Amino acid sequence: MLLTKGETTGGGLLVVMRQGATADEIRGVVTAVEARGFKAHPIPGAERTAIGITGNKGALEAPVFESLPGVVEVIPVSHAYKLVSREVKPDDTVVDVGGVKVGGLTLAVVAGPCAVESLEQMLIVARAVKKAGAHLLRGGAFKPRTSPYSFQGLGEEGLKILAAAREETGLPVVTEAVDLEALELIERYADAIQIGARNMQNFSLLKRAGKSRKPVVLKRGLSATLEEFLMSAEYILAEGNYQVILCERGVRTFSDFSRNTLDLAVVPAVKKISHLPILVDPSHGTGRRDKVAPLSRAAAAVGADGLMIEVHHDPDRALSDGPQSITPEMFEALVRDLKQIAPVLGRRL
Ligand code: PEP
Ligand code: MN
């Protein structure tokens, strides 16, 4: 179902527990919600726990929950997106990817080639980005290519290579699931599941990612509005997976000097209405090697929680996205710049 402008999905409810509510009281609310056939989403906050309710038809049920022990108030949630919204969870979500925090004080840098091409290639790039200061390793084993004749990725073999690169460098791995079958393999080998721009509205894939225990990096669709982007994240949270990282990667416009137009304005827009962390991918966002560093610096300046950058040791011979891949040397210089920019924004690298 695609939401059209102004359409809503029926009012959700948010049950706010008192500060220091007991585990029993929280369980009591969850049981009462489930007994009515709705879904309960306990969301621990810095001060108190809130419980989001989805699957209900409106605010009619509010009084039922108001009288339960430990409940302070029941608030109708006005937006179409509920669980991703700051109304439901005022404080920022910090996602843990194999021990690396995304959305906290430290800017998270995800780097690596567009595609896993060979063990040798992956190890060269992984070692280089680790040395330069990356926190997470990227690399596609399943590639969503515009042409069926382009390199499609190494599949499971690529996942084994990524696991070997993690073993050697200690960098947790983020890699894309193009379909349900790939997702199940990725859950076994990787630390986070990437849902690509072309799959942002693949609702069965989103639902399956929502059932996973692994964090999800959700990339914005090529022509997705902010509302559509957040509703796709909502699909994942609604299934019980709250570990979602958004990623702005550029949208299609009339621009003729870049592959996509990196919509940096979406970063503060997301921050205003959602608690989820957001990365910026200036590689797909510009499609041009020389524009990756300036747009990375700008992304940090507008408040992105981190960056996803394509790096290749020999970009002109890369099997995928060479023109937008930067060299390890360029990456190292960029990390040096970001280290200087971060403190100005009250962050670190
Ligand atoms: C990628 O990260 O290599 C990729 C294919 O990204 P996107 O889905 O943003 O095009
Ligand atoms: Mn790519």
Side-chain angles (χ1 to χ4, degrees):
M1 177 193 66
L2 299 181
L3 277 183
T4 53
K5 242 193 172 63
E7 186 185 353
T8 64
T9 55
L13 288 176
L14 183 69
V15 179
V16 182
M17 303 301 290
R18 67 175 170 79
Q19 220 168 334
T22 67
D24 268 354
E25 287 171 338
I26 295 169
R27 215 172 303 122
V29 174
V30 171
T31 308
V33 170
E34 289 173 350
R36 280 160 185 80
F38 311 140
K39 203 159 173 178
H41 305 266
I43 303 151
E47 309 247 303
R48 52 193 191 176
T49 292
I51 300 164
I53 304 179
T54 55
N56 61 315
K57 293 275 184 302
L60 283 180
E61 297 92 358
V64 180
F65 304 112
E66 247 152 24
S67 55
L68 293 173
V71 174
V72 173
E73 58 178 335
V74 180
I75 308 169
V77 179
S78 50
H79 292 297
Y81 27 83
K82 302 176 178 73
L83 302 174
V84 303
S85 112
R86 276 206 195 270
E87 276 186 87
V88 165
K89 182 173 183 282
D91 39 317
D92 291 341
T93 287
V94 179
V95 177
D96 187 305
V97 182
V100 171
K101 303 268 192 284
V102 181
L105 205 58
T106 305
L107 290 179
V109 180
V110 189
C114 178
V116 181
E117 298 170 9
S118 67
L119 177 62
E120 192 198 9
Q121 169 246 16
M122 202 61 222
L123 287 178
I124 293 173
V125 179
R127 286 181 195 127
V129 298
K130 162 82 186 185
K131 185 164 156 266
H135 307 104
L136 295 166
L137 187 61
R138 63 149 288 145
F142 301 90
K143 294 307 302 175
R145 302 303 298 277
T146 302
S147 163
Y149 308 117
S150 300
F151 178 60
Q152 302 286 309
L154 298 178
E156 187 169 4
E157 181 54 30
L159 297 179
K160 289 182 181 162
I161 291 172
L162 283 169
R166 172 184 51 211
E167 183 76 18
E168 162 141 356
T169 59
L171 295 176
V173 163
V174 182
T175 193
E176 177 170 353
V178 288
D179 52 30
L180 297 170
E181 197 184 335
L183 193 148
E184 296 200 346
L185 280 171
I186 288 167
E187 276 182 316
R188 297 219 292 272
Y189 289 97
D191 301 281
I193 303 158
Q194 180 172 316
I195 307 263
R198 288 153 196 84
N199 270 316
M200 191 205 79
Q201 286 190 319
N202 181 338
F203 301 117
S204 48
L205 193 59
L206 295 174
K207 285 183 186 170
R208 177 60 187 78
K211 293 197 167 72
S212 179
R213 297 287 187 92
K214 294 277 163 91
V216 178
V217 176
L218 177 66
K219 299 189 85 174
R220 182 181 182 185
L222 276 71
S223 63
T225 63
L226 173 57
E227 173 152 326
E228 287 163 345
F229 191 18
L230 291 175
M231 286 310 285
S232 290
E234 185 81 19
Y235 263 89
I236 303 170
L237 272 74
E239 294 292 333
N241 189 351
Y242 305 102
Q243 300 275 96
V244 174
I245 301 164
L246 302 170
C247 181
E248 159 61 27
R249 48 78 72 207
V251 289
R252 280 275 166 88
T253 68
F254 49 80
S255 165
D256 57 0
F257 63 91
S258 58
R259 180 178 175 186
N260 292 296
T261 296
L262 192 63
D263 181 14
L264 289 179
V266 87
V267 174
V270 161
K271 293 270 158 208
K272 192 166 176 189
I273 51 183
S274 177
H275 53 85
L276 295 175
I278 179 163
L279 303 177
V280 167
D281 168 357
S283 308
H284 294 88
T286 64
R288 303 280 189 276
R289 191 175 307 154
D290 62 328
K291 299 188 174 60
V292 171
L295 271 297
S296 297
R297 297 189 295 255
V302 295
D305 295 294
L307 293 153
M308 175 179 277
I309 297 170
E310 289 187 339
V311 180
H312 198 288
H313 66 292
D314 189 1
D316 292 332
R317 271 195 273 275
L319 295 183
S320 171
D321 285 347
Q324 67 193 33
S325 299
I326 61 173
T327 62
E329 295 70 34
M330 293 168 85
F331 178 69
E332 208 179 310
L334 170 58
V335 173
R336 271 201 302 273
D337 285 351
L338 293 171
K339 279 194 162 101
Q340 290 196 286
I341 295 170
V344 179
L345 302 154
R347 304 191 82 146
R348 44 170 203 240
L349 190 69

